[in-house]
Amino acid sequence: MNAVTRVWGDGDCSGALNPVDSLKTLRFDAGLGAPKVDPTCPDFGSLVTVGAAAGQTLLNEVLFVPGVGDDPFVELKATGSGADPSGLLLVNERDDQFVIPNVGAIDGVEVLLLEFGGSDFLDDESGFVELRDGDEVLDRVAWGSDLVDGVRLTPGDFLAEFEPGTSIGRVPGSTGPNPIEWVTYRPGLTTPGGPNADPGVPVARPPDGAIFESGDVRFNWFPLPGVDAYRVEIASEATFSNLHTQELVNTPPLDLSGLAQGEHHWRVEALREGVSSGFSAVHLLTIDGAGLERSPAGNDLTVVNEDVPFLPPLKDSRMLLLEKDAPSGSTYAWDSPYPGAEETNGRITSNSVLASVAMVNAGIGGIASQDRLGFEVFEGRVAGPERDLSYGDMLTDDQALAVMGFAFGGVEGLCSTEIDEIWAFVTAVIDMELPLVAAVDETAIALNEYRITIENGPGPDIVEQFFLIKNPFVGSYQMPLDLSDVSCAWRPPESAIGFFQEAELESDSDGDGIVDFDEVRRFHTDPMHTDSDRDGLDDKQDLAESIFAPEEGYAADFAFIGDELFPLGSPARDWDRDGAKKELDCDSDNDGTRDGDDDDSFGDVDFQPDDGVCDAVATLTWNADVDLDLFVLPGPFDSSDEAADHFADPGYADAADADCLLSELEQSRSASVDVPGPESQYVAVEFFGLCLRDPDGPEGDGPQSTTGTLTIQFSNGTVFQTTELFNVNDWRLYGPFDFATGPIEPPEP
């Protein structure tokens, strides 16, 4: 490391070894706002890692995109007296390491502020900071949409732009490792060197100015971590001197019915152990059913696209949500559609962008579940099926554009601070009988109606303009244009036909409780076999144990597995660390016993590569009334006749099924071969002939072609899969394979 100049308090420290261009280290008494300045330079070169005593040292607040005049910083706090961060390491995503100087013990009323002025130690887009004692990770916080354990960078669920000067910090009292215990503090609310403020409720809906036809209203807000209860107050006047409604709820939303016609002012406060965070901004809502009749009257004009349904944000399919720790049969189960939007524990299961895109997609004739749309955004963000649905995730504007382009077959949009420009764009699109997705203050909405009212009088005409808004978290209401706060709007192409999701999202060919889409696209299990890894446990049972079993489950935590901290997606659901998830690993703790016969509760885990105790399996599935034969071969034979000449060779095995479909109730057929040994290197498929019916039925009564899926499960749990069209008399050869590990790269000619 190059020697650079340091600043410790007001002291000038030359020759320091930390790889940071400049640093100011300030020690504060929490709440006093005055630094304890120590002009003595620490001896960076002689520091050793001493760890934290008595109390625990944690990361507390991070500013990685400073505003004008600010320095980026990392702030530490102690959970009790005697915690000494001296010698601990701050490590970033590039493995740059900063050694905390000798600062002495801090206690529960002090914080330590490290300002990184002039340094790129904190990435301003996507990165993390870990607090380490040597190699042991004590705490971690990450940011950026590409990091699965990143802090949500908006109090809502839709991030168009991150405002400089916004920090991320723990809520008061937080000591856990989960990123949902962190929130954003907007400029002016950051507290460098002081205790973090209670963030209060930053985004409440319905917004100020909303007009409802009915007195049945849903009050909603984004939940906060560590909150015991919320108090909602509603009054007829903005002073709240005479409340007509006061409700205490544990989690949002609050549904009220029968609100009287007229104006209502409302606000909400969060309570932690009975202490208020302060009330949210006051919002005015109006119940005015008579004034919102949609039939044109006089000079009034109303344009409506009636094809857009209202959809709340929720898990709306049978796709398996691996991060959900609610078992089958519970209200918000991991394997079922939800009855309504779930918002609890500071984590919002679903997303307003996905709900709004699903509404607009339905408005142009498509059918797409929010789960399927979320999968399109998040597929592949970790190596495996974990975190590939939306669960506690915000969407950035780039991700929102991507999912709209996918659903609509293209997207056009406008972002503007000029509300008249937004009005002209939106009304022109609705006039073309197209709905839109729009952004309003960290939330996505659907727009499908506008209204113009002209009041004639003795003076100039009064023109009022309104949007009909379908807010996934609240419902339908109208907003005056000047209060609508629509900052961006996006439309489908004029000729757009909505996305129709795959039929496999509903089908379950083997009846194991996992839809075929999940089996093929997410888990790479066999959709025609209930026990893909042949371990004696059905695929769904494998998945459930890897999520819910106390000794091996992971779903409840984002970053910790047991007591050990890992980047998400590393050994999650792969206990022997061999690269195969539990549903694809017949011996998932690698102790020599198949999982279905293993009763040691994962007490004897061998973290070594698997020793091949599991058989490899080749499976062919198809859904037509034909006969496909499957062969596992020791050599690259060119035809079935040549292969038959070697049927006695080691490694030769075949599975033939000449019965075709047995009944109209049977939807598909499969042939499966347990690979007999490591010398087998090829797999072949033959379309043997047309359908032959027992005992001697006529030939030629089956189709001339069919689509088949070949799945090879190798001994280590990895999978090869291909789907192809087969014609009569086809002979297809696949390989070579090493049936312990996977495909072999053939030598170059």
Side-chain angles (χ1 to χ4, degrees), residues 697-712:
E699 296 185 14
D701 57 350
Q704 301 291 310
S705 63
T706 187
T707 298
T709 297
L710 173 65
T711 304
I712 303 175

Side-chain angles (χ1 to χ4, degrees), residues 564-622:
E564 197 170 358
L565 181 63
F566 293 98
L568 274 182
S570 45
R573 305 191 312 105
D574 177 16
W575 288 94
D576 53 7
R577 322 263 172 95
D578 64 352
K581 308 292 184 179
K582 192 173 187 300
E583 63 274 13
L584 297 175
D585 193 343
C586 67
D587 179 17
S588 53
D589 59 359
N590 199 22
D591 63 356
T593 304
R594 291 177 183 268
D595 289 346
D597 302 319
D598 197 346
D599 59 359
D600 67 358
S601 298
F602 282 70
D604 184 24
V605 182
D606 182 7
F607 298 110
Q608 300 293 327
D610 279 353
D611 56 9
V613 299
C614 308
D615 291 337
V617 180
T619 303
L620 181 68
T621 62
W622 66 98

Side-chain angles (χ1 to χ4, degrees), residues 363-387:
I364 58 174
I367 299 175
S369 65
Q370 296 169 51
D371 290 348
R372 175 65 181 90
L373 296 172
F375 176 78
E376 193 65 24
V377 177
F378 296 120
E379 178 187 15
R381 60 173 164 171
V382 298
E386 294 78 25
R387 298 303 302 277

Side-chain angles (χ1 to χ4, degrees), residues 259-577:
L259 287 178
Q261 295 283 308
E263 294 184 346
H264 303 270
H265 301 265
W266 78 282
R267 62 188 182 181
V268 58
E269 65 177 341
L271 302 173
R272 288 187 174 88
E273 298 181 353
V275 178
S276 172
S277 64
F279 280 101
S280 66
V282 176
H283 289 173
L284 169 68
L285 68 89
T286 302
I287 310 298
D288 185 13
L292 295 179
E293 295 178 357
R294 292 200 179 94
S295 58
N299 294 327
D300 292 356
L301 171 67
T302 301
V303 179
V304 186
N305 184 338
E306 298 285 6
D307 296 326
V308 179
F310 170 73
L311 298 174
L314 47 76
K315 183 184 184 307
D316 57 350
S317 78
R318 293 168 56 200
M319 296 178 74
L320 301 181
L321 181 56
L322 300 184
E323 291 71 35
K324 192 72 181 80
D325 55 355
S328 302
S330 56
T331 302
Y332 297 106
W334 71 303
D335 57 354
S336 303
Y338 288 180
E342 182 212 25
E343 302 168 12
T344 183
N345 298 327
R347 181 187 292 147
I348 302 171
T349 305
S350 17
N351 184 280
S352 65
V353 175
L354 303 179
S356 297
V357 172
M359 283 191 265
V360 171
N361 185 67
I364 58 174
I367 299 175
S369 65
Q370 296 169 51
D371 290 348
R372 175 65 181 90
L373 296 172
F375 176 78
E376 193 65 24
V377 177
F378 296 120
E379 178 187 15
R381 60 173 164 171
V382 298
E386 294 78 25
R387 298 303 302 277
D388 60 1
L389 301 182
S390 176
Y391 186 62
D393 298 294
M394 66 176 187
L395 263 67
T396 65
D397 53 353
D398 287 342
Q399 290 170 328
L401 286 171
V403 75
M404 283 187 277
F406 167 74
F408 308 153
V411 63
E412 300 175 22
L414 172 70
C415 293
S416 176
T417 58
E418 299 295 329
I419 192 62
D420 289 339
E421 292 184 4
I422 295 288
W423 173 264
F425 178 76
V426 170
T427 55
V429 173
I430 294 176
D431 285 343
M432 292 187 293
E433 299 184 350
L434 289 173
L436 305 94
V437 176
V440 179
D441 193 20
E442 292 97 16
T443 306
I445 60 171
L447 294 174
N448 70 307
E449 177 180 331
Y450 70 88
R451 184 166 65 90
I452 301 172
T453 299
I454 302 176
E455 182 177 336
N456 299 315
D461 291 345
I462 299 174
V463 179
E464 295 181 297
Q465 299 159 292
F466 300 87
F467 286 134
L468 177 80
I469 287 177
K470 292 190 172 179
N471 185 317
F473 290 114
V474 177
S476 298
Y477 52 87
Q478 294 201 32
M479 285 290 293
L481 176 63
D482 58 343
L483 297 177
S484 62
D485 289 333
V486 176
S487 57
C488 295
W490 300 276
R491 49 157 287 192
E494 291 185 39
S495 58
I497 299 176
F499 170 66
F500 279 80
Q501 66 185 19
E502 299 84 349
E504 288 77 13
L505 283 155
E506 297 292 338
S507 61
D508 177 11
S509 296
D510 56 6
D512 63 356
I514 309 174
V515 295
D516 292 343
F517 185 92
D518 275 2
E519 297 225 43
V520 175
R521 289 285 297 273
R522 300 178 64 206
F523 308 126
H524 303 294
T525 48
D526 183 353
M528 301 304 302
H529 201 292
T530 60
D531 181 12
S532 298
D533 59 359
R534 309 308 200 267
D535 65 351
L537 300 175
D538 286 354
D539 293 339
K540 190 175 181 181
Q541 187 177 355
D542 267 328
L543 284 161
E545 286 192 0
S546 71
I547 296 169
F548 301 112
E551 63 275 1
E552 54 179 304
Y554 97 109
D557 292 326
F558 275 81
F560 273 81
I561 298 176
D563 295 327
E564 197 170 358
L565 181 63
F566 293 98
L568 274 182
S570 45
R573 305 191 312 105
D574 177 16
W575 288 94
D576 53 7
R577 322 263 172 95

